[in-house]
Amino acid sequence: MKYSDDAVAILEGVGGADNVADVFHCITRLRFTLKDESRADTAAVRAVPAVMGVNKASGQYQVIIGNDVPQVFEALVAEAPQLAGSQSTAKAADAPRKKWHESFFDFISGVFAPILPAIAGAGLLKGLLALLVFLNWIDATTQTYTLLSSLADSVFYLLPVVLAVTAARKLEANPYVAMGIAGALIYPGFTALLGGEDAVRFLGMPVTAVTYSYSVIPVLLAIPLMAVVERGWKRVIPDTLKLMFVPLLTMLVVFPITILLLGPLGTFVGNGVSGGINWLMENGGFLGGAIIGGLLPLIIMTGMHYALVPFILTNLANLGYDKFLPLTYVQTFATAGAVAGVAVRAKSKGLKALAASTSFTGFMGVTEPALYGIAIPLRRPLIATMIGGAAGGAISLGFGAKAFVLAGNGGIPGIPALIGDTFVWAIIAVVVAAVVAFVASVMLGFDESALDRAAGISTGDEASSQAGTIIGSPVDGVAVELASVDDRTFSQGVMGPGIAVVPANGEVVSPVAGTVVTVFPTGHALGLRTADGIDLLIHIGIDTVALGGKGFTAHVAQGDTVKAGDSLVSVDLDAVGATHDTTVIMVVTDGAADDGVVADTRGDVKAGAPLMTAQAAAAVAVVA
């Protein structure tokens, strides 16, 4: 473990594990209660590479670590397991819990947003190729087209593997083990086995033939399972054997469950859904079209639409037309229209450009970048897509729009497949779908910050200038110099440069736009990171960790995105102030250039009023 040597040295420095009566950690430091403080060798502790300083206060021997304190504590407990039963092991469950739907969309956003550059680039190439073929500027049978199409299609073909990596990272599981599990699902030998004539069995149990390439849902079910299984093995397997046996046993458990249960789940559900869709196609009329059109983005996302392919082919062969295919055009145009609305309403130049490009590829019949990259992570554009799909679907099925060819493209290049006696209604349906989705997207709006942060897109909302990022006051009150704070760790600048505010009320707000990287379970401290990589620590009160969370109500959780002025924590100043100093401390712990932080102690301040500027180290490096 990376921090093991530091943990061993710290334990030796404080007089050994047998000299520790209790130890826990706050957001920046290890807090020891020693049986005999005279046995501690402070000079030796200070010499440990991970240690930033030592402070003795409130009967505690405090070892200042900084941002890596959770990892150092974990290594400490690994070296001396008898120390694991104290306050230090407070679980994340003590932190504010998100509602289930917030956690779900946070997971989806965290999984899809990192791959946006890849799917946007590949999707744009697919759209351009479709346009070139439509204009007869390139022949789809040439080797040049095949090579370019391979480049454009590879990301989507390998989507299970790509998503496995981002899902594993989001869930703090091993991404390479996840890659191995997902890779097995599209391994040529496995695919050929499932595609053969003979039934496939694993240990006597039937394996359902499922196509995993291009799929999304199976891997999004498998990797959360993998994360749970991996953590379970880590708890029971000795450290000396973990490297080999945790990955081995995790894969041996998760892969069979995936191919026997999770993977076929979409197919089983799809068969039931396809039966319901077939009934609605025959009897639903306008209402059926609205229901199918509205739900089609979700149906396509799960892959259940593939269950309708035999139905579609049978209609084309026996009747010469099919009524479901026009609904896929409706869904395509609704998705493209909703994302076009994002391009119009977005404040971020980066998001505007991304939404415009994925909208174009959507209109050219390639909706994956728009659906997975924009609509699903931003949530409301997905709702707009469904509204547009419902409107267009009602017209399409209500007036019996038909498709006469399986074009393989539901965008503009595939329009000729709709030419026939119902062509006008088909065109009206797709235009209505696009327009309604566009209007709904603009009217509903969206919170673009989560997608921007996760994908690394600059929002343009951060208060910044050539002098650096402007950092506001986290609370109403009186600004004072950091040196005046009654805590040597902060007053001596051990944690970094900053400022303090004696609060006038207990509402602590975000001083910047950024991501919440840490929320201590007691709610008394949290860490923020701006888009340009500046890390801020907000510490409410002196030694308030001892209160165990009493008087603090956190309104954010790790991974949340915030804008300047968003509520972070509510503090009962009367209750906390009865026993502790309530000064709110704000320091820049990382990411700023040397001498790049300037604080302004101006006396009375309002929350959000500029208090500091911080020049990002990365920006200085670019200038240099």
Side-chain angles (χ1 to χ4, degrees):
M1 185 182 291
K2 176 181 176 183
Y3 301 94
S4 294
D5 293 342
D6 293 327
V8 170
I10 291 170
L11 274 176
E12 292 177 353
V14 298
D18 62 337
N19 192 38
V20 179
D22 184 36
V23 59
F24 63 99
H25 74 84
C26 63
I27 202 165
T28 60
R29 61 192 93 180
L30 299 170
R31 293 171 175 261
F32 291 91
T33 300
L34 301 180
K35 298 175 182 177
D36 183 357
E37 197 168 294
S38 66
R39 291 173 56 184
D41 185 346
T42 299
V45 175
R46 289 183 186 274
V48 177
V51 175
M52 303 172 68
V54 174
N55 187 39
K56 300 175 186 179
S58 304
Q60 296 175 343
Y61 190 88
Q62 302 172 5
V63 181
I64 299 96
I65 304 296
N67 295 336
D68 293 338
V69 68
Q71 292 87 344
V72 174
F73 174 77
E74 183 180 350
L76 192 77
V77 171
E79 295 295 333
Q82 67 270 29
L83 302 179
S86 59
Q87 290 173 271
S88 47
T89 56
K91 299 191 178 293
D94 296 330
R97 291 177 178 268
K98 294 182 179 180
K99 296 179 180 178
W100 71 267
H101 64 279
E102 293 175 336
S103 298
F104 171 75
F105 279 109
D106 176 66
F107 173 69
I108 294 297
S109 178
V111 168
F112 283 102
I115 67 172
L116 272 180
I119 62 176
L124 183 59
L125 181 56
K126 286 172 70 74
L128 289 172
L129 287 174
L131 178 61
L132 293 176
V133 171
F134 177 66
L135 297 174
N136 292 320
W137 290 357
I138 189 172
D139 189 341
T141 63
T142 63
Q143 294 179 342
T144 298
Y145 176 87
T146 301
L147 291 172
L148 290 175
S149 181
S150 299
L151 175 62
D153 210 35
S154 63
V155 173
F156 302 105
Y157 179 84
L158 296 171
L159 203 55
V161 177
V162 177
L163 292 178
V165 173
T166 57
R169 287 178 173 169
K170 179 67 176 176
L171 298 172
E172 299 182 355
N174 190 312
Y176 305 105
V177 175
M179 185 187 302
I181 294 171
L185 298 176
I186 60 173
Y187 182 71
F190 177 70
T191 302
L193 184 65
L194 292 184
E197 295 182 358
D198 297 332
V200 179
R201 291 184 173 274
F202 178 79
L203 298 178
M205 293 175 284
V207 178
T208 304
V210 175
T211 300
Y212 290 99
S213 55
Y214 302 93
S215 69
V216 172
I217 298 301
V219 75
L220 293 185
L221 295 174
I223 302 309
L225 171 65
M226 177 207 136
V228 173
V229 172
E230 184 181 72
R231 283 194 290 269
W233 287 126
K234 284 182 177 179
R235 283 194 292 267
V236 300
I237 295 177
D239 288 346
T240 55
L241 301 177
K242 283 181 179 178
L243 180 63
M244 293 181 295
F245 286 100
V246 169
L248 171 65
L249 296 176
T250 299
M251 289 190 289
L252 287 178
V253 170
V254 176
F255 181 69
I257 293 176
T258 301
I259 62 175
L260 292 172
L261 178 62
L262 302 181
L265 184 61
T267 300
F268 296 147
V269 176
N271 289 334
V273 171
S274 64
I277 290 176
N278 289 339
W279 186 89
L280 285 173
M281 292 291 298
E282 295 295 329
N283 306 287
F286 291 98
L287 179 60
I291 294 173
I292 298 173
L295 295 178
L296 202 51
L298 304 181
I299 294 171
I300 289 176
M301 186 177 76
T302 61
M304 292 186 293
H305 61 299
Y306 287 116
L308 294 168
V309 171
F311 170 76
I312 294 170
L313 294 176
T314 299
N315 286 341
L316 290 174
N318 296 334
L319 303 177
Y321 63 84
D322 176 69
K323 294 183 179 181
F324 179 78
L325 281 175
L327 295 175
T328 65
Y329 285 75
V330 165
Q331 187 273 331
T332 295
F333 278 76
T335 303
V339 175
V342 173
V344 169
R345 177 150 181 170
K347 297 178 181 179
S348 160
K349 292 181 180 179
L351 184 56
K352 279 182 178 290
L354 181 63
S357 66
T358 55
S359 177
F360 166 75
T361 61
F363 281 118
M364 297 311 299
V366 182
T367 58
E368 291 93 342
L371 184 62
Y372 296 135
I374 302 291
I376 293 174
L378 289 182
R379 312 181 195 183
R380 290 183 182 176
L382 176 61
I383 297 174
T385 298
M386 296 173 69
I387 293 172
I395 294 173
S396 178
L397 191 59
F399 288 101
K402 306 170 186 174
F404 300 89
V405 178
L406 183 60
N409 186 302
I412 293 174
I415 290 294
L418 301 174
I419 295 177
D421 58 335
T422 59
F423 181 68
V424 172
W425 289 117
I427 295 300
I428 291 175
V430 297
V431 170
V432 167
V435 172
V436 171
F438 173 84
V439 173
S441 182
V442 172
M443 292 181 65
L444 288 174
F446 44 85
D447 177 10
E448 62 192 77
S449 59
L451 181 60
D452 289 338
R453 304 289 179 231
I457 303 170
S458 173
T459 64
D461 293 338
E462 295 87 354
S464 61
S465 66
Q466 292 182 349
T469 296
I470 298 175
I471 302 170
S473 174
V475 68
D476 293 342
V478 179
V480 298
E481 293 183 357
L482 194 62
S484 68
V485 172
D486 188 20
D487 185 311
R488 287 187 296 170
T489 300
F490 291 112
S491 63
Q492 294 178 4
V494 174
M495 294 305 303
I499 200 167
V501 181
V502 179
N505 58 54
E507 295 304 316
V508 181
V509 302
S510 179
V512 293
T515 303
V516 179
V517 295
T518 306
V519 179
F520 201 68
T522 56
H524 80 287
L526 51 84
L528 303 172
R529 179 171 296 149
T530 67
D532 51 1
I534 293 174
D535 286 344
L536 286 174
L537 168 65
I538 299 176
H539 195 287
I540 307 167
I542 307 298
D543 286 328
T544 45
V545 65
L547 294 172
K550 294 180 180 178
F552 297 89
T553 303
H555 303 301
V556 292
Q558 182 177 338
D560 285 352
T561 55
V562 292
K563 296 180 179 179
D566 285 354
S567 178
L568 298 178
V569 180
S570 294
V571 185
D572 185 341
L573 287 185
D574 292 336
V576 175
T579 55
H580 289 74
D581 184 336
T582 58
T583 300
V584 178
I585 302 163
M586 181 170 64
V587 295
V588 177
T589 58
D590 198 9
D594 293 339
D595 300 322
V597 179
V598 179
D600 179 10
T601 52
R602 61 178 62 196
D604 292 340
V605 292
K606 289 292 185 182
L611 274 189
M612 293 195 297
T613 58
Q615 181 69 53
V620 172
V622 171
V623 172

